[in-house]
Amino acid sequence: MQGTYLLSVGVTYAEYASCISRTILVDPTPMQKTAYALAIEIHQQIVGALKPGVVLKELYCCAKETVAAKNPDLASKFVTSAGFGMGLEFNDMMLVCNDKCDRKVVAGTPFCISVGFSEPAGKTPWAVWIANTVLVPHDGGPCQVLTEGSSFAAKDVMYELGGDDEDTASVAAAPAPPPAAPKAAPAKGKAAAKPEAKAKAKAGAKPPGAPK
C-alpha cells in the first residue's frame, strides 16, 4: 500500500479542453514528502509568473533554477516540461513550457501547469505530480486556477497509515487471557440445592425499600 499514486483526468466540453492531476501519498518517505512540498512551491511560482508577454522557456528555466537552489538532489528528477497551452487542442505543441519554447504567453490563453518529480529507477519507483487548468486573464490580473476546487494541499492528500499496522501488531502480540478456574464441587454430605428451590427463593425476594 505504501507509495505515491497519480490521478489524472482530462475533460473536453464544447470542443474546449481542461485537465487536472493529483498525487495521493501513502506512508511517504522523507524524500517523497520533500519533493511534494517543493512541487507545490514551484507550481505556485509558475502560476504567479504566468503573465502576458512572458517567454515560456523563461518560466521553465526559472522553475528549474529554483529546484536546483532549494534541493540539488531533486534537480535531476524534475519534469522536462512544466505544462502547455490548450483550448481547442488538448495539448498545443507550439505552447509547451520547456527550455526550448520561445513563444510568449498571450492573454486569454488557458494553460495546463504541470509540475512534478519522478524516480523511475531504483528498487521502488515513485513520482509526485500536480497539474491544474489555469486561465491567463485579459485584464492583466492574477491567473485564475480553474481546478483549484480540488485541493492539493499536503494535509488533504497525504496519509500516514503506519500507526495502524503497529496497533494491529501489538494486539496480535498480546498474551491470551488465562483459562477460567474450574467450579468447586459441593462438600461431601451436603446436597446441592435443586434448581426449583433456587427459582422459588429468587421469585420471593424483594428489592431493598420495596413495600411489604
Side-chain angles (χ1 to χ4, degrees):
M1 186 67 182
Q2 189 276 336
T4 59
Y5 300 82
L6 308 185
L7 311 174
S8 183
V9 177
V11 177
T12 300
Y13 177 75
E15 299 184 357
Y16 284 88
S18 65
C19 70
I20 180 174
S21 296
R22 295 290 182 265
T23 302
I24 304 299
L25 300 94
V26 180
D27 288 332
T29 64
M31 174 64 79
Q32 291 166 358
K33 289 181 180 180
T34 300
Y36 190 75
L38 188 53
I40 293 177
E41 182 177 345
I42 298 300
H43 180 276
Q44 293 172 338
Q45 173 183 318
I46 294 176
V47 172
L50 192 67
K51 298 181 182 300
V54 175
V55 179
L56 287 172
K57 74 176 182 181
E58 292 178 359
L59 284 175
Y60 177 81
C61 290
C62 286
K64 194 166 185 178
E65 288 173 3
T66 301
V67 171
K70 295 274 186 178
N71 194 320
D73 293 337
L74 288 173
S76 62
K77 300 176 175 59
F78 189 54
V79 290
T80 56
S81 71
F84 48 85
M86 58 183 179
L88 293 178
E89 293 184 25
F90 177 75
N91 184 349
D92 188 340
M93 299 306 295
M94 300 298 291
L95 290 175
V96 179
C97 186
N98 59 20
D99 59 355
K100 298 180 177 63
C101 186
D102 293 319
R103 301 292 292 272
K104 295 181 179 180
V105 177
V106 177
T109 304
F111 279 86
C112 172
I113 300 302
S114 175
V115 176
F117 299 89
S118 65
E119 178 57 85
K123 186 176 180 180
T124 306
W126 61 270
V128 296
W129 188 21
I130 302 168
N132 280 299
T133 300
V134 179
L135 179 63
V136 182
H138 288 280
D139 59 6
C143 290
Q144 182 181 1
V145 181
L146 303 177
T147 49
E148 65 181 355
S150 174
S151 174
F152 53 91
K155 66 181 181 64
D156 295 323
V157 299
M158 194 175 297
Y159 300 90
E160 303 281 359
L161 304 180
D164 295 340
D165 296 337
E166 293 175 2
D167 294 341
T168 302
S170 63
V171 171
K183 295 181 179 179
K188 291 183 178 180
K190 294 183 179 181
K194 295 182 179 180
E196 296 84 0
K198 288 184 178 180
K200 290 179 180 179
K202 186 175 181 180
K206 295 181 179 179
K212 295 182 181 180

